[in-house]
Amino acid sequence: MADLFDKIYKDKGPLGKWAEQAEGYFVFPKLEGPISNRMKFQGKEVITWSINDYLGLANHPEVRKVDAEAAAEYGSAYPMGARMMSGHTDLHEKLQRELASFVKKEAAYLLNFGYQGMVSTVDALVSKKDVIVYDVDAHACIIDGVRLHLGQRFTYKHNDLESIEKNLQRAQKITEQTGGGILVISEGVFGMRGEQGKLKEIVALKEKYDFRLFVDDAHGFGTLGATGAGAGEEQGVQDGIDVYFATFAKSLASTGAFIAADQEIIDYLKYNLRSQMFAKSLQMQLVVGALKRLDMLRTMPELKEKLWENVNALQNGLKERGFDIGTTQSCVTPVYLKGSIPEAMALVKDLRENHGIFCSIVVYPVIPKGLILLRLIPTATHTLEDVEETLNAFSAIRERLENGTYKRLSAGVAAAMEK
């Protein structure tokens, strides 16, 4: 019989195997200082394009004041207990009502964490008789929720309507036999590529197929739509989304999440979401803080306007300089380059050490071999000077990538990786 840990000693996993070369710098980096457009990395000031603080609320003085007052009044423990037992308050209910109204749904329910809540919601919505149809590029929290499903599940090609319809037909044949239903899951904005999910087209398919639509709008909430209500509002199909999900970890710069739907669906979910039924209630200071942030989102449209001024300046500037930013339709700004993992390491080190630019790096196995994805997240706190400085830096690193500088610099790392 093998030792349970044998596989761990032999295989650290597709990302873990790079830990010796990457940890502390390329992964698990430590940004320091107040959350803003410029922070400290290893003692040096860098322009930060890796913080999901879209509206610049994380370090906003009004937000910090309310957070501090709530912490002083309630502490970090109140309320103690799960919502169903002893952790339910008027303020939790107030936040739920305001969130539901904001995203134009009958009711909403708070979740302690976005990832945990998404997994549990998927689990609660389906039974063994049902079929799940979901985008192959769905976020890990959706995939982990789907893994709990005891029935059939099918992936469709990313944003591919023909593939969606083909899999709906497969699902329909199964549910005709089982007597179950179909749940389609898409993201409002796909966080790696920045593309919006084809919600309008998916909703239109309801005329041909009987299914319910569940949308993870983590990156759309607060950034898209006339009022900031997300990708469904942006595409004019918010009514066609049956269950809407968003997190507080992006535009609201906090911790927590929520789901919104018809009242009867929310009533069912709040009695069947295991991750909420058996977990401590969302802390009061977070609830009070979310109420303040939501109010600012509603009453300060200039935050979203400034965000999009920066988004447009960055994305248009990159395109004008010939960079490939894919087909993003959101604030998420991917820059695709060609190169190996060692070259990517040398490139990012150059960006951080010599240009003062900090952005996320994505390589294989998250994306295909031979590609480097630099992911930039513009926020309302960035300036046009930040954008211009970053564009100049990207032009410089592209030249070094193309002339082989990074290949030469990374030769030692490449050789070590081949051993």
Side-chain angles (χ1 to χ4, degrees):
M1 183 175 69
D3 182 341
L4 177 68
F5 290 169
D6 281 348
K7 59 182 179 292
I8 297 174
Y9 301 139
K10 294 174 183 176
D11 184 1
K12 302 298 183 184
L15 295 177
K17 66 182 180 180
W18 308 120
E20 185 176 342
Q21 294 88 358
E23 190 162 333
Y25 195 94
F26 302 103
V27 296
F28 299 104
K30 299 172 185 176
L31 284 168
E32 298 175 325
I35 296 173
S36 188
N37 59 317
R38 291 178 184 250
M39 298 175 68
K40 290 284 186 71
F41 177 65
Q42 296 197 341
K44 297 179 180 179
E45 183 181 81
V46 291
I47 302 173
T48 49
W49 297 103
S50 192
I51 303 293
N52 292 320
D53 181 26
Y54 285 120
L55 300 178
L57 297 180
N59 202 38
H60 194 287
E62 290 185 42
V63 166
R64 291 194 61 159
K65 181 175 182 292
V66 169
D67 285 352
E69 290 172 348
E73 181 175 357
Y74 297 105
S76 61
Y78 189 86
M80 287 299 294
R83 292 280 295 279
M84 292 184 78
M85 297 296 182
S86 57
H88 190 65
T89 73
D90 287 340
L91 287 176
H92 284 74
E93 290 184 345
K94 180 182 180 182
L95 178 55
Q96 288 172 172
R97 289 193 300 269
E98 294 193 12
L99 286 165
S101 175
F102 184 73
V103 298
K104 302 173 180 63
K105 295 296 180 186
E106 284 185 3
Y109 194 64
L110 293 178
L111 307 169
N112 291 354
F113 297 98
Y115 198 111
Q116 171 204 58
M118 172 59 72
V119 170
S120 195
T121 302
V122 174
D123 179 49
L125 284 171
V126 291
S127 68
K128 188 175 182 179
K129 298 184 297 182
D130 303 320
V131 178
I132 298 175
V133 177
Y134 65 107
D135 195 295
V136 71
D137 280 0
H139 189 271
C141 64
I142 295 172
I143 294 170
D144 284 354
V146 171
R147 283 175 173 173
L148 295 177
H149 180 44
L150 297 176
Q152 294 284 334
R153 61 277 188 110
F154 301 120
T155 57
Y156 58 83
K157 295 177 184 177
H158 175 60
N159 265 350
D160 186 313
L161 291 173
E162 183 179 344
S163 181
I164 295 172
E165 192 158 6
K166 178 181 177 181
N167 281 286
L168 281 171
Q169 291 167 356
R170 296 170 71 190
Q172 188 171 266
K173 288 180 181 178
I174 292 170
T175 55
E176 285 172 355
Q177 299 296 318
T178 65
I182 301 171
L183 178 67
V184 174
I185 309 176
S186 176
E187 295 189 45
V189 172
F190 289 84
M192 200 61 66
R193 304 186 189 199
E195 297 167 340
Q196 292 183 41
K198 293 197 173 180
L199 308 183
K200 185 174 183 179
E201 293 83 353
I202 294 173
V203 169
L205 287 173
K206 287 186 173 185
E207 297 179 7
K208 294 177 64 175
Y209 305 95
D210 187 10
F211 64 88
R212 295 293 185 174
L213 176 60
F214 183 17
V215 173
D216 172 355
D217 203 24
H219 289 273
F221 176 75
T223 68
L224 294 176
T227 70
E233 182 182 54
E234 177 82 8
Q235 298 182 35
V237 292
Q238 190 75 349
D239 288 346
I241 297 173
D242 297 292
V243 181
Y244 179 91
F245 164 94
T247 176
F248 299 164
K250 308 292 191 293
S251 287
L252 294 192
S254 186
T255 299
F258 72 97
I259 45 174
D262 290 347
Q263 183 69 59
E264 192 166 354
I265 305 307
I266 293 299
D267 287 343
Y268 170 82
L269 288 171
K270 73 181 185 181
Y271 281 91
N272 291 277
L273 283 171
R274 294 176 63 83
S275 68
Q276 307 308 306
M277 293 167 63
F278 302 105
K280 184 179 180 295
S281 177
L282 192 66
Q283 296 165 329
M284 188 67 86
Q285 66 191 89
L286 296 175
V287 174
V288 173
L291 281 164
K292 174 62 178 177
R293 290 161 169 80
L294 181 60
D295 182 62
M296 293 175 72
L297 200 163
R298 284 189 304 236
T299 61
M300 298 174 67
E302 64 269 21
L303 296 173
K304 187 160 76 75
E305 291 167 7
K306 177 57 179 171
L307 165 65
W308 276 97
E309 179 186 8
N310 291 334
V311 171
N312 291 328
L314 179 65
Q315 294 184 357
N316 290 337
L318 287 165
K319 287 188 286 189
E320 287 167 5
R321 293 177 184 232
F323 284 95
D324 178 6
I325 65 169
T327 55
T328 180
Q329 303 156 308
S330 69
C331 304
V332 178
T333 305
V335 178
Y336 297 95
L337 300 167
K338 292 182 179 178
S340 65
I341 292 177
E343 285 176 294
M345 289 179 171
L347 179 153
V348 169
K349 190 167 185 178
D350 189 16
L351 264 182
R352 294 177 182 178
E353 300 298 325
N354 300 317
H355 297 279
I357 306 296
F358 188 101
C359 62
S360 297
I361 174 178
V362 184
V363 294
Y364 178 82
V366 180
I367 58 173
K369 283 185 178 179
L371 279 181
I372 303 167
L373 190 160
L374 300 176
R375 180 172 173 263
L376 292 85
I377 301 292
T379 74
T381 64
H382 284 104
T383 67
L384 295 181
E385 289 76 17
D386 294 335
V387 171
E388 188 63 24
E389 195 172 326
T390 300
L391 293 174
N392 291 335
F394 269 63
S395 292
I397 60 111
R398 178 177 56 188
E399 182 179 347
R400 292 180 189 133
L401 180 64
E402 291 176 350
N403 68 24
T405 298
Y406 296 136
K407 190 170 186 178
R408 291 191 296 273
L409 289 173
S410 64
V413 175
M417 289 180 174
E418 291 173 0
K419 291 181 179 178

